[in-house]
Amino acid sequence: MIEFKNVTKVYPNGVKALDGVDLEIEQGEFVAIIGLSGAGKSTLLRSINQMHPITDGELNVNNEDVRSLSGKSLRKFRRQIGMVFQSFNLVSRTTVIKNVLTARVAEMSWIKSLLGLYSKEDTLEALEALDQVGILEKAYSRADELSGGQQQRVALARCLAQKPQIILADEPVASLDPITAQAVMEDFVRINEQTNITVIVNMHHVDLALKYAKRVIGIKAGQIVFDGPSDDVNEAVLEQVYGRSLKEDEMMGVDSHVLS
């Protein structure tokens, strides 16, 4: 379980990104977070693995007080949380399988990680992860030879090789075309259903959030203004989250420039 209790995050420049957030997410849920740019979506997501440490309140993940973790204990904690970024974060000039194998580095001695001496078991698990996302045949291709959608699948496979309990995805389909974006979201759904890994996704694409997530959290100015089943999201809810009604094209990629 992930539990926020009156969580606040204030950045050094004085910006309050989270303002008294109370939230619980159970193991195995598929949750989408929606809201305008700057509303606090990424801060909320990245506070879970302490990439953005909270300023006040309580944040517990699987019964661990996240604020109390540092050094070795924080690194160990982060192993159970995979992260997928909009920009893929791959090493472009090396092979797909080597990118996936980097998920195992934290479990290796420094000399083995330095020399890239992965075990047979690690290699088989990396290949299995690639198979899970449908690109096993690309295992020995260079990452920069792949399409954007394929690269994001490599990033997802890297997460799976980490054997996480939670996957955090920060705008994972924002740079992909609509058809590829749907295919990648289907990968997230399938993995969530087959493995019971908690999946939390930040999204500008409201239509995809409503189509694929079972639960939607709407955030505005650092506060949760909606939290419920995706089927309960209607025009009134979207107006509450975004400050106005949304047109169909805006539902496919809401941006603060569009709504300002």
Side-chain angles (χ1 to χ4, degrees), residues 122-142:
D122 285 340
T123 302
L124 289 173
E125 288 178 351
L127 291 170
E128 182 181 350
L130 288 168
D131 192 33
Q132 281 185 272
V133 297
I135 54 169
L136 178 59
E137 74 281 0
K138 299 292 185 180
Y140 295 97
S141 300
R142 273 183 30 156

PDB file of all heavy atoms in Angstrom, residues 122-142:
ATOM      1  N   ASP A 122      20.273 -13.742 -14.946  1.00  0.00           N
ATOM      2  CA  ASP A 122      19.910 -12.354 -15.249  1.00  0.00           C
ATOM      3  C   ASP A 122      19.582 -12.192 -16.735  1.00  0.00           C
ATOM      4  O   ASP A 122      18.615 -11.509 -17.095  1.00  0.00           O
ATOM      5  CB  ASP A 122      21.063 -11.404 -14.884  1.00  0.00           C
ATOM      6  CG  ASP A 122      21.182 -11.189 -13.384  1.00  0.00           C
ATOM      7  OD1 ASP A 122      20.191 -11.438 -12.666  1.00  0.00           O
ATOM      8  OD2 ASP A 122      22.269 -10.777 -12.932  1.00  0.00           O
ATOM      9  N   THR A 123      20.382 -12.807 -17.589  1.00  0.00           N
ATOM     10  CA  THR A 123      20.162 -12.704 -19.031  1.00  0.00           C
ATOM     11  C   THR A 123      18.838 -13.337 -19.434  1.00  0.00           C
ATOM     12  O   THR A 123      18.081 -12.766 -20.226  1.00  0.00           O
ATOM     13  CB  THR A 123      21.320 -13.366 -19.802  1.00  0.00           C
ATOM     14  OG1 THR A 123      22.549 -12.728 -19.436  1.00  0.00           O
ATOM     15  CG2 THR A 123      21.117 -13.237 -21.307  1.00  0.00           C
ATOM     16  N   LEU A 124      18.538 -14.493 -18.874  1.00  0.00           N
ATOM     17  CA  LEU A 124      17.269 -15.159 -19.186  1.00  0.00           C
ATOM     18  C   LEU A 124      16.078 -14.327 -18.712  1.00  0.00           C
ATOM     19  O   LEU A 124      15.052 -14.234 -19.401  1.00  0.00           O
ATOM     20  CB  LEU A 124      17.233 -16.551 -18.541  1.00  0.00           C
ATOM     21  CG  LEU A 124      18.166 -17.593 -19.167  1.00  0.00           C
ATOM     22  CD1 LEU A 124      18.160 -18.879 -18.344  1.00  0.00           C
ATOM     23  CD2 LEU A 124      17.759 -17.881 -20.610  1.00  0.00           C
ATOM     24  N   GLU A 125      16.215 -13.704 -17.545  1.00  0.00           N
ATOM     25  CA  GLU A 125      15.131 -12.864 -17.037  1.00  0.00           C
ATOM     26  C   GLU A 125      14.959 -11.616 -17.895  1.00  0.00           C
ATOM     27  O   GLU A 125      13.834 -11.144 -18.099  1.00  0.00           O
ATOM     28  CB  GLU A 125      15.402 -12.491 -15.583  1.00  0.00           C
ATOM     29  CG  GLU A 125      15.216 -13.668 -14.632  1.00  0.00           C
ATOM     30  CD  GLU A 125      15.536 -13.319 -13.194  1.00  0.00           C
ATOM     31  OE1 GLU A 125      16.066 -12.207 -12.943  1.00  0.00           O
ATOM     32  OE2 GLU A 125      15.253 -14.156 -12.305  1.00  0.00           O
ATOM     33  N   ALA A 126      16.057 -11.069 -18.398  1.00  0.00           N
ATOM     34  CA  ALA A 126      15.972  -9.913 -19.288  1.00  0.00           C
ATOM     35  C   ALA A 126      15.262 -10.286 -20.590  1.00  0.00           C
ATOM     36  O   ALA A 126      14.420  -9.536 -21.103  1.00  0.00           O
ATOM     37  CB  ALA A 126      17.362  -9.367 -19.582  1.00  0.00           C
ATOM     38  N   LEU A 127      15.595 -11.454 -21.125  1.00  0.00           N
ATOM     39  CA  LEU A 127      14.939 -11.926 -22.347  1.00  0.00           C
ATOM     40  C   LEU A 127      13.449 -12.178 -22.113  1.00  0.00           C
ATOM     41  O   LEU A 127      12.603 -11.862 -22.957  1.00  0.00           O
ATOM     42  CB  LEU A 127      15.620 -13.197 -22.850  1.00  0.00           C
ATOM     43  CG  LEU A 127      17.050 -13.026 -23.394  1.00  0.00           C
ATOM     44  CD1 LEU A 127      17.703 -14.376 -23.626  1.00  0.00           C
ATOM     45  CD2 LEU A 127      17.046 -12.201 -24.682  1.00  0.00           C
ATOM     46  N   GLU A 128      13.129 -12.715 -20.937  1.00  0.00           N
ATOM     47  CA  GLU A 128      11.722 -12.948 -20.596  1.00  0.00           C
ATOM     48  C   GLU A 128      10.960 -11.627 -20.505  1.00  0.00           C
ATOM     49  O   GLU A 128       9.812 -11.521 -20.957  1.00  0.00           O
ATOM     50  CB  GLU A 128      11.621 -13.705 -19.273  1.00  0.00           C
ATOM     51  CG  GLU A 128      10.190 -14.025 -18.866  1.00  0.00           C
ATOM     52  CD  GLU A 128      10.109 -14.755 -17.533  1.00  0.00           C
ATOM     53  OE1 GLU A 128      11.154 -15.173 -17.015  1.00  0.00           O
ATOM     54  OE2 GLU A 128       8.983 -14.894 -17.013  1.00  0.00           O
ATOM     55  N   ALA A 129      11.604 -10.620 -19.921  1.00  0.00           N
ATOM     56  CA  ALA A 129      10.962  -9.300 -19.814  1.00  0.00           C
ATOM     57  C   ALA A 129      10.702  -8.711 -21.197  1.00  0.00           C
ATOM     58  O   ALA A 129       9.637  -8.122 -21.449  1.00  0.00           O
ATOM     59  CB  ALA A 129      11.845  -8.362 -18.994  1.00  0.00           C
ATOM     60  N   LEU A 130      11.650  -8.864 -22.100  1.00  0.00           N
ATOM     61  CA  LEU A 130      11.458  -8.385 -23.480  1.00  0.00           C
ATOM     62  C   LEU A 130      10.323  -9.141 -24.160  1.00  0.00           C
ATOM     63  O   LEU A 130       9.545  -8.564 -24.935  1.00  0.00           O
ATOM     64  CB  LEU A 130      12.749  -8.526 -24.275  1.00  0.00           C
ATOM     65  CG  LEU A 130      13.858  -7.530 -23.905  1.00  0.00           C
ATOM     66  CD1 LEU A 130      15.176  -7.940 -24.538  1.00  0.00           C
ATOM     67  CD2 LEU A 130      13.474  -6.114 -24.348  1.00  0.00           C
ATOM     68  N   ASP A 131      10.221 -10.421 -23.878  1.00  0.00           N
ATOM     69  CA  ASP A 131       9.134 -11.224 -24.440  1.00  0.00           C
ATOM     70  C   ASP A 131       7.783 -10.747 -23.914  1.00  0.00           C
ATOM     71  O   ASP A 131       6.787 -10.714 -24.647  1.00  0.00           O
ATOM     72  CB  ASP A 131       9.355 -12.693 -24.091  1.00  0.00           C
ATOM     73  CG  ASP A 131       8.448 -13.626 -24.875  1.00  0.00           C
ATOM     74  OD1 ASP A 131       8.129 -13.311 -26.046  1.00  0.00           O
ATOM     75  OD2 ASP A 131       8.060 -14.679 -24.334  1.00  0.00           O
ATOM     76  N   GLN A 132       7.746 -10.359 -22.646  1.00  0.00           N
ATOM     77  CA  GLN A 132       6.499  -9.888 -22.040  1.00  0.00           C
ATOM     78  C   GLN A 132       5.958  -8.641 -22.735  1.00  0.00           C
ATOM     79  O   GLN A 132       4.748  -8.419 -22.764  1.00  0.00           O
ATOM     80  CB  GLN A 132       6.705  -9.589 -20.560  1.00  0.00           C
ATOM     81  CG  GLN A 132       6.699 -10.821 -19.667  1.00  0.00           C
ATOM     82  CD  GLN A 132       6.793 -10.443 -18.211  1.00  0.00           C
ATOM     83  OE1 GLN A 132       7.876 -10.293 -17.649  1.00  0.00           O
ATOM     84  NE2 GLN A 132       5.649 -10.265 -17.563  1.00  0.00           N
ATOM     85  N   VAL A 133       6.855  -7.812 -23.271  1.00  0.00           N
ATOM     86  CA  VAL A 133       6.401  -6.589 -23.939  1.00  0.00           C
ATOM     87  C   VAL A 133       6.458  -6.719 -25.464  1.00  0.00           C
ATOM     88  O   VAL A 133       6.298  -5.737 -26.187  1.00  0.00           O
ATOM     89  CB  VAL A 133       7.220  -5.352 -23.480  1.00  0.00           C
ATOM     90  CG1 VAL A 133       7.011  -5.110 -21.999  1.00  0.00           C
ATOM     91  CG2 VAL A 133       8.704  -5.519 -23.785  1.00  0.00           C
ATOM     92  N   GLY A 134       6.698  -7.924 -25.946  1.00  0.00           N
ATOM     93  CA  GLY A 134       6.546  -8.206 -27.365  1.00  0.00           C
ATOM     94  C   GLY A 134       7.678  -7.783 -28.278  1.00  0.00           C
ATOM     95  O   GLY A 134       7.469  -7.623 -29.485  1.00  0.00           O
ATOM     96  N   ILE A 135       8.894  -7.623 -27.751  1.00  0.00           N
ATOM     97  CA  ILE A 135      10.010  -7.223 -28.628  1.00  0.00           C
ATOM     98  C   ILE A 135      11.244  -8.089 -28.385  1.00  0.00           C
ATOM     99  O   ILE A 135      12.377  -7.621 -28.475  1.00  0.00           O
ATOM    100  CB  ILE A 135      10.361  -5.727 -28.479  1.00  0.00           C
ATOM    101  CG1 ILE A 135      10.627  -5.371 -27.008  1.00  0.00           C
ATOM    102  CG2 ILE A 135       9.303  -4.837 -29.090  1.00  0.00           C
ATOM    103  CD1 ILE A 135      11.223  -3.982 -26.865  1.00  0.00           C
ATOM    104  N   LEU A 136      11.017  -9.350 -28.118  1.00  0.00           N
ATOM    105  CA  LEU A 136      12.129 -10.266 -27.896  1.00  0.00           C
ATOM    106  C   LEU A 136      13.068 -10.309 -29.094  1.00  0.00           C
ATOM    107  O   LEU A 136      14.292 -10.413 -28.934  1.00  0.00           O
ATOM    108  CB  LEU A 136      11.590 -11.671 -27.598  1.00  0.00           C
ATOM    109  CG  LEU A 136      12.627 -12.781 -27.375  1.00  0.00           C
ATOM    110  CD1 LEU A 136      13.547 -12.442 -26.201  1.00  0.00           C
ATOM    111  CD2 LEU A 136      11.933 -14.117 -27.144  1.00  0.00           C
ATOM    112  N   GLU A 137      12.504 -10.191 -30.298  1.00  0.00           N
ATOM    113  CA  GLU A 137      13.327 -10.277 -31.506  1.00  0.00           C
ATOM    114  C   GLU A 137      14.292  -9.107 -31.654  1.00  0.00           C
ATOM    115  O   GLU A 137      15.235  -9.153 -32.452  1.00  0.00           O
ATOM    116  CB  GLU A 137      12.435 -10.368 -32.752  1.00  0.00           C
ATOM    117  CG  GLU A 137      11.742  -9.079 -33.165  1.00  0.00           C
ATOM    118  CD  GLU A 137      10.499  -8.742 -32.348  1.00  0.00           C
ATOM    119  OE1 GLU A 137      10.172  -9.530 -31.427  1.00  0.00           O
ATOM    120  OE2 GLU A 137       9.865  -7.715 -32.643  1.00  0.00           O
ATOM    121  N   LYS A 138      14.100  -8.049 -30.855  1.00  0.00           N
ATOM    122  CA  LYS A 138      14.973  -6.869 -30.918  1.00  0.00           C
ATOM    123  C   LYS A 138      16.081  -6.902 -29.852  1.00  0.00           C
ATOM    124  O   LYS A 138      16.820  -5.929 -29.692  1.00  0.00           O
ATOM    125  CB  LYS A 138      14.149  -5.600 -30.729  1.00  0.00           C
ATOM    126  CG  LYS A 138      13.068  -5.380 -31.793  1.00  0.00           C
ATOM    127  CD  LYS A 138      13.676  -5.087 -33.153  1.00  0.00           C
ATOM    128  CE  LYS A 138      12.600  -4.764 -34.165  1.00  0.00           C
ATOM    129  NZ  LYS A 138      13.185  -4.475 -35.505  1.00  0.00           N
ATOM    130  N   ALA A 139      16.223  -8.014 -29.153  1.00  0.00           N
ATOM    131  CA  ALA A 139      17.122  -8.083 -28.005  1.00  0.00           C
ATOM    132  C   ALA A 139      18.549  -7.662 -28.331  1.00  0.00           C
ATOM    133  O   ALA A 139      19.208  -7.006 -27.513  1.00  0.00           O
ATOM    134  CB  ALA A 139      17.121  -9.492 -27.415  1.00  0.00           C
ATOM    135  N   TYR A 140      19.035  -8.003 -29.501  1.00  0.00           N
ATOM    136  CA  TYR A 140      20.432  -7.715 -29.829  1.00  0.00           C
ATOM    137  C   TYR A 140      20.568  -6.601 -30.873  1.00  0.00           C
ATOM    138  O   TYR A 140      21.639  -6.429 -31.461  1.00  0.00           O
ATOM    139  CB  TYR A 140      21.129  -9.001 -30.254  1.00  0.00           C
ATOM    140  CG  TYR A 140      21.197  -9.978 -29.103  1.00  0.00           C
ATOM    141  CD1 TYR A 140      20.253 -10.999 -28.978  1.00  0.00           C
ATOM    142  CD2 TYR A 140      22.146  -9.832 -28.094  1.00  0.00           C
ATOM    143  CE1 TYR A 140      20.277 -11.864 -27.888  1.00  0.00           C
ATOM    144  CE2 TYR A 140      22.178 -10.693 -27.000  1.00  0.00           C
ATOM    145  CZ  TYR A 140      21.241 -11.699 -26.902  1.00  0.00           C
ATOM    146  OH  TYR A 140      21.265 -12.548 -25.813  1.00  0.00           O
ATOM    147  N   SER A 141      19.499  -5.839 -31.057  1.00  0.00           N
ATOM    148  CA  SER A 141      19.556  -4.623 -31.873  1.00  0.00           C
ATOM    149  C   SER A 141      20.022  -3.462 -31.002  1.00  0.00           C
ATOM    150  O   SER A 141      19.859  -3.481 -29.778  1.00  0.00           O
ATOM    151  CB  SER A 141      18.173  -4.289 -32.444  1.00  0.00           C
ATOM    152  OG  SER A 141      17.687  -5.333 -33.256  1.00  0.00           O
ATOM    153  N   ARG A 142      20.596  -2.452 -31.635  1.00  0.00           N
ATOM    154  CA  ARG A 142      20.950  -1.239 -30.887  1.00  0.00           C
ATOM    155  C   ARG A 142      19.682  -0.470 -30.557  1.00  0.00           C
ATOM    156  O   ARG A 142      18.742  -0.412 -31.345  1.00  0.00           O
ATOM    157  CB  ARG A 142      21.892  -0.366 -31.710  1.00  0.00           C
ATOM    158  CG  ARG A 142      23.334  -0.734 -31.526  1.00  0.00           C
ATOM    159  CD  ARG A 142      24.322   0.130 -32.245  1.00  0.00           C
ATOM    160  NE  ARG A 142      23.961   1.516 -32.463  1.00  0.00           N
ATOM    161  CZ  ARG A 142      24.859   2.490 -32.650  1.00  0.00           C
ATOM    162  NH1 ARG A 142      26.158   2.215 -32.603  1.00  0.00           N
ATOM    163  NH2 ARG A 142      24.474   3.723 -32.877  1.00  0.00           N
TER     164      ARG A 142
END
